[in-house]
Amino acid sequence: MQTLHNSKPTRSVALEDRGWSLGEALFETLLVKQGSPVWLEEHLARLALGCERLQFDFPERALRDDIHQLVSESRDDRAVLRLCLSGDSLGVRGYGAVSRTPHRYCQLALLAPPVRQYWDEGIRAFVAKTRLPEQVELAGIKHSNRLPHVLARAERKATDFPEGLMLSTSGLVVEGIASNCFIAVNGELKTPLLDRAGVEGIVRQKVIEVLRTQGVTISEARLTLSDVEGADELFFCNSLIGLWPVRQLDCLSFSSFSLCQRVQKELESVWYV
């Protein structure tokens, strides 16, 4: 694993970093294949949006230089690149923001191949008891306040339940623990509206683009567990795993992977070639 902090190799976090002290940070997790970050521009665009929300300056040029420095030295066929922009306290205590210039952390690590069995045969998933807070100002961006996801992941073993479905405090379906989610109903695709909570994922948008091109009706809606229970299929997606159809959600079984498989066919080369 290699990590850069403001372009310099590091093995630690700066004491003035507000990401570890207050959670004031943004991050992106990218798949890297043969030294090339996948969908880099889309990830940077979401990071730029997050900077607007947290009132950070977006250090695009410096970040691109850091990325190039790390990936150009990589010899791995598959790696994961984590980008993090974190607030700087300048040594001042308290909640008040004192700097618009964030710390930059870029980390590159070896990545194991995705589990093909999950892609082909589907997974067992569960409905997490831990709920996501609804916060309009943070909805959509990938900020570092992930404690609800950590608690949800601890509810079940990942080896038995590779993913879990998370609801908001008001009972709306939001996302997976580490992914976005979709349901299919009578040949139509639905995904949670993420204007109150959740992350607008890069692969989520790719799924929408692929199926919209194929003429599938797609809607973003306020979904509940009742909608999931009445669906023909349910699947999860993110930049590292690709797409995982769900064959069982707690006691609920799904036998159709139809729309998920159509997207898998179009995007398979991203994860398996």
Side-chain angles (χ1 to χ4, degrees):
M1 182 184 297
Q2 304 174 67
T3 305
L4 299 179
H5 171 219
N6 295 340
S7 301
K8 297 180 180 180
T10 187
R11 295 176 64 89
S12 61
V13 176
L15 290 177
E16 64 272 19
D17 189 297
R18 285 165 62 102
W20 74 265
S21 62
L22 299 176
E24 184 188 24
L26 305 160
F27 73 100
E28 294 289 328
T29 306
L30 294 77
L31 173 65
V32 179
K33 295 178 61 179
Q34 289 83 46
S36 179
V38 177
W39 295 318
L40 174 61
E41 299 308 318
E42 288 89 337
H43 282 280
L44 291 180
R46 184 171 62 187
L47 199 56
L49 176 61
C51 284
E52 290 182 16
R53 297 276 189 88
L54 297 191
Q55 300 182 38
F56 289 166
D57 293 327
F58 180 46
E60 181 177 358
R61 179 174 296 180
L63 199 56
R64 288 183 183 275
D65 289 343
D66 292 344
I67 293 169
H68 177 74
Q69 180 179 338
L70 277 182
V71 301
S72 64
E73 298 172 356
S74 175
R75 298 294 180 267
D76 299 320
D77 289 338
R78 290 174 49 83
V80 55
L81 176 66
R82 192 179 195 274
L83 311 176
C84 179
L85 298 178
S86 185
D88 189 342
S89 70
L90 298 180
V92 178
R93 291 176 55 83
Y95 293 129
V98 295
S99 174
R100 287 181 56 95
T101 303
H103 291 265
R104 303 188 316 277
Y105 295 94
C106 297
Q107 187 177 78
L108 188 70
L110 182 66
L111 180 66
V115 181
R116 184 76 201 211
Q117 182 180 1
Y118 297 164
W119 173 283
D120 290 335
E121 301 176 13
I123 64 167
R124 294 174 65 200
F126 68 100
V127 178
K129 295 179 181 179
T130 306
R131 296 294 182 95
L132 288 168
E134 295 184 356
Q135 178 58 267
V136 174
E137 289 81 1
L138 298 178
I141 65 173
K142 199 163 187 178
H143 57 81
S144 292
N145 290 273
R146 300 284 110 186
L147 192 53
H149 302 77
V150 172
L151 294 176
R153 183 62 278 175
E155 292 180 23
R156 304 283 185 92
K157 291 183 178 180
T159 50
D160 297 329
F161 296 87
E163 187 54 295
L165 187 67
M166 297 195 71
L167 311 181
S168 71
T169 50
S170 65
L172 296 174
V173 174
V174 179
E175 60 192 2
I177 296 171
S179 63
N180 287 118
C181 64
F182 290 87
I183 61 172
V185 182
N186 297 325
E188 297 184 5
L189 189 71
K190 297 183 179 183
T191 192
L193 181 64
L194 302 179
D195 61 341
R196 297 181 183 178
V199 177
E200 292 187 0
I202 305 305
V203 181
R204 175 181 183 268
Q205 185 57 39
K206 298 298 178 182
V207 170
I208 292 172
E209 291 172 2
V210 167
L211 290 180
R212 186 165 284 158
T213 299
Q214 296 181 6
V216 175
T217 300
I218 302 170
S219 61
E220 297 178 80
R222 303 205 188 282
L223 304 177
T224 67
L225 270 182
S226 294
D227 295 306
V228 176
E229 291 168 355
D232 302 314
E233 60 182 295
L234 165 68
F235 62 92
F236 296 105
C237 65
N238 77 22
S239 294
L240 300 185
I241 67 171
L243 288 86
W244 285 351
V246 175
R247 54 184 171 80
Q248 187 174 344
L249 179 71
D250 290 331
C251 296
L252 182 66
S253 296
F254 296 90
S255 58
S256 173
F257 300 166
S258 178
L259 288 185
C260 181
Q261 288 174 335
R262 286 168 65 172
V263 183
Q264 286 177 325
K265 183 177 180 180
E266 292 292 325
L267 299 181
E268 183 175 12
S269 61
V270 174
W271 295 280
Y272 289 101
V273 175

